[in-house]
């Protein structure tokens, strides 16, 4: 087979234009480094948007995936399989959850969660109890239900009519939530840290208050940990650090370390409402995905890796502060573990893309979160040398953007 030659301009000819990828095409990755078609090297602070939690091509993940490819790729849920049962056993052992539903992405995990909380309220309290409350600026995925629960109207625009019975209140505002709550609410959905919405952590007191309001009104609490989960904050899941236990937790992104998988975790009681035939996914619980995810969880859920996230957080923050003391470009540096946001000064709001492009030209992959925040979600085991080299590149990129005005 001869290989078809493709480059970045091929994208514009053959792909739906819903993305605007950077000008280069990476072809190979190892740890926190990547190389493009031209052989240019990059330091990766993006981590595939909080997905490559163990870097690129981690040797153990490669080995596990290769071993599974020789055994079994797919069955469908007409059969169960060993990797799925092992992964679910570990996730239930390590969390509050007693039951797991597997799917292929974050949006699908949330879709399952949102359907389940509606069905649970319907089964236990009646059809009137169907309202879902979530937060302004939250992000829960791109399906019609998840953009509806998400708190960013721009993602719903033009796709109406969207599912109803959903209200949004400001994040970290307990009084607003209290005013919106009543016994018609079936669930409150929240990210422990708003990820796409600008890397905004929940106050611990707010999170406790949300839990109390849910209890008072017999509503389930859903934590969307698709971005914060699987070690990102230095705990296996962020709820463990907040000291607030949800009834439902969704995971994806880092769970597969780069192999697509999503999971919804919940209690045995809530799970009863997704009885036989109520929901499903052909690929969900795929043996390849579950084998990789089991290894991801094994590798990340160790005292070493989790403590290392805290040390790396310190280094990121110190380095960003040093850049800021020279260039005065950030008004805030925040986040938890290796989910870090640096808010740009007002003159640069809406111009994050310039920093991303300049960083890429310097050989650094970076992200934004909304119009005014640079976001970093690197590998949880990124080398200190890579952090320092990446920060030197970031400083050069920032100096360049500032010089160009
Ligand atoms: C990325 C993300 C999603 C959506 O996940 P997909 O895999 O893109 O569907 C949902 N919620 C949060 C908090 C996310 O960060």
């Amino acid at each position: 087979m001869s290989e078809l030659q493709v480059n970045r301009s091929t994208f514009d000819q053959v792909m739906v234009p819903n993305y605007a990828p950077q000008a280069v095409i990476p072809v190979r990755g190892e740890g926190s480094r990547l190389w493009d078609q031209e052989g240019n090297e990059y330091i990766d602070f993006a981590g595939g948007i909080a997905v490559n939690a163990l870097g690129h091509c981690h040797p153990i993940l490669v080995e596990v995936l290769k071993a599974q490819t020789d055994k079994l790729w797919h069955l469908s849920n007409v059969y169960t399989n060993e990797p799925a049962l092992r992964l679910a056993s570990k996730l239930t052992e390590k969390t509050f959850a007693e039951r797991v539903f597997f799917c292929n992405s974050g949006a699908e995990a949330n879709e399952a969660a949102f359907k389940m909380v509606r069905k649970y309220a319907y089964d236990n309290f009646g059809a009137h109890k169907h309202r879902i409350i979530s937060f302004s600026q939250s992000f829960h995925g791109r399906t019609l239900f998840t953009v509806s629960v998400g708190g960013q109207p721009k993602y719903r625009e033009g796709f109406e009519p969207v599912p109803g019975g959903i209200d949004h209140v400001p994040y970290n505002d307990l009084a607003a939530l209290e005013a919106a709550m009543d016994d018609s609410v079936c669930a409150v959905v929240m990210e422990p840290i708003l990820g796409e919405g600008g890397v905004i952590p929940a106050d611990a007191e707010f999170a406790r208050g949300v839990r109390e309001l849910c209890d008072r009104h017999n509503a389930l609490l859903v934590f969307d940990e698709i971005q914060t989960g699987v070690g990102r904050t230095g705990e296996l899941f962020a709820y463990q650090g907040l000291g607030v236990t949800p009834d439902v937790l969704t995971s994806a992104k880092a769970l597969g370390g780069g192999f697509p998988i999503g999971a919804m975790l919940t209690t045995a009681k809530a799970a009863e409402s997704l009885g036989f035939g109520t929901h499903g996914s052909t690929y969900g619980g795929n043996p390849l995905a579950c084998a990789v995810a089991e290894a991801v969880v094994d590798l990340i859920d160790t005292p070493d890796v989790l403590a290392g996230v805290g040390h790396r957080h310190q280094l990121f923050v110190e380095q960003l502060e040093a850049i800021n003391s020279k260039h005065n470009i950030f008004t805030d540096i925040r986040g938890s573990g290796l989910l870090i946001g640096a808010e740009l000064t007002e003159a640069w709001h809406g111009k994050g893309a310039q920093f991303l492009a300049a960083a890429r030209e310097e050989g650094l992959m970076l992200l934004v979160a909304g119009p005014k925040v640079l976001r970093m979600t690197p590998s949880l085991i990124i080398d200190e040398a890579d952090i320092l080299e990446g920060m030197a590149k970031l400083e050069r990129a920032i100096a360049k953007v500032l010089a160009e005005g």
Side-chain angles (χ1 to χ4, degrees):
M1 266 198 298
S2 76
E3 212 168 65
L4 192 65
Q5 294 301 303
V6 292
N7 55 41
R8 176 59 182 79
S9 71
T10 315
F11 181 94
D12 302 322
Q13 291 150 20
V14 299
M15 302 290 276
V16 169
N18 61 316
Y19 306 116
Q22 295 284 318
V24 298
I25 302 186
V27 293
R28 191 165 71 79
E30 193 184 316
S32 287
R33 294 189 183 236
L34 283 152
W35 292 269
D36 69 17
Q37 285 182 317
E38 322 281 277
N40 300 309
E41 187 177 279
Y42 300 86
I43 301 277
D44 187 7
F45 281 1
I49 318 187
V51 166
N52 299 97
L54 293 164
H56 298 274
C57 298
H58 187 288
I60 294 177
L61 299 188
V62 170
E63 189 185 302
V64 166
L65 180 57
K66 282 183 174 164
Q68 187 61 41
T69 61
D70 283 335
K71 285 187 200 153
L72 184 68
W73 285 30
H74 178 77
L75 287 164
S76 90
N77 288 295
V78 175
Y79 300 88
T80 188
N81 68 77
E82 291 179 352
L85 295 175
R86 276 199 298 266
L87 176 60
S89 300
K90 288 186 178 172
L91 290 172
T92 52
E93 182 208 311
K94 290 168 184 292
T95 68
F96 74 93
E98 298 155 320
R99 298 289 184 272
V100 180
F101 169 80
F102 288 122
C103 49
N104 312 289
S105 69
E108 280 180 63
N110 281 337
E111 188 81 20
F114 303 163
K115 283 179 71 177
M116 187 185 73
V117 295
R118 283 252 171 105
K119 182 71 165 33
Y120 176 83
Y122 175 90
D123 290 346
N124 290 282
F125 301 96
H128 70 284
K129 191 174 178 66
H130 65 256
R131 277 173 66 219
I132 292 174
I133 298 188
S134 74
F135 297 97
S136 308
Q137 294 309 117
S138 65
F139 182 81
H140 299 297
R142 297 297 204 115
T143 66
L144 204 52
F145 202 171
T146 55
V147 293
S148 306
V149 174
Q152 306 191 38
K154 66 176 186 224
Y155 293 145
R156 293 192 285 276
E157 227 173 270
F159 297 109
E160 299 93 346
V162 296
I166 300 163
D167 294 298
H168 302 92
V169 300
Y171 195 66
N172 277 333
D173 184 342
L174 200 56
L177 179 63
E178 187 163 13
M181 288 293 281
D182 61 30
D183 289 342
S184 71
V185 174
C186 68
V188 174
V189 178
M190 84 181 248
E191 294 167 82
I193 301 173
L194 292 180
E196 313 293 312
V199 190
I200 300 169
D203 302 333
E205 196 187 331
F206 172 70
R208 281 193 298 273
V210 174
R211 177 72 270 180
E212 278 166 28
L213 284 170
C214 287
D215 292 342
R216 195 186 306 165
H217 293 283
N218 288 315
L220 296 178
L221 176 56
V222 181
F223 267 15
D224 178 342
E225 291 231 28
I226 290 161
Q227 191 151 165
T228 56
V230 197
R232 182 63 45 195
T233 64
E235 311 271 349
L236 184 60
F237 288 100
Y239 85 84
Q240 294 160 329
L242 267 178
V244 170
T245 303
D247 304 291
V248 184
L249 182 152
T250 52
S251 181
K253 292 204 165 101
L255 181 60
F259 201 98
I261 184 169
M264 179 196 66
L265 281 59
T266 189
T267 60
K269 181 151 197 289
E272 281 173 19
S273 287
L274 281 190
F276 176 68
T278 54
H279 191 58
S281 160
T282 300
Y283 262 123
N286 171 274
L288 294 169
C290 290
V292 174
E294 184 193 358
V296 168
V297 170
D298 284 345
L299 288 166
I300 289 178
D301 191 27
T302 63
D304 247 25
V305 169
L306 295 177
V309 170
H311 298 141
R312 287 167 175 81
H313 172 88
Q314 289 304 327
L315 189 55
F316 264 85
V317 169
E318 278 166 31
Q319 291 285 310
L320 288 168
E321 281 171 352
I323 291 175
N324 204 31
S325 66
K326 279 193 216 164
H327 298 286
N328 241 313
I329 179 74
F330 305 130
T331 56
D332 192 22
I333 295 162
R334 59 178 178 250
S336 180
L338 288 171
L339 173 51
I340 295 169
E343 185 167 327
L344 295 162
T345 52
E346 205 169 332
W348 295 99
H349 288 186
K351 297 176 181 167
Q354 286 184 43
F355 292 90
L356 253 59
R360 189 249 306 150
E361 282 163 21
E362 293 295 331
L364 174 69
M365 290 175 174
L366 204 64
L367 297 169
V368 291
K372 56 184 187 184
V373 177
L374 300 185
R375 175 175 40 154
M376 281 144 263
T377 55
S379 162
L380 306 183
I381 55 171
I382 183 173
D383 286 338
E384 188 172 319
D386 293 343
I387 298 175
L388 297 176
E389 194 178 325
M391 285 294 175
K393 290 171 185 292
L394 179 60
E395 182 176 356
R396 284 199 294 278
I398 286 172
K400 213 161 125 187
V401 173
L402 291 180
E404 285 162 6

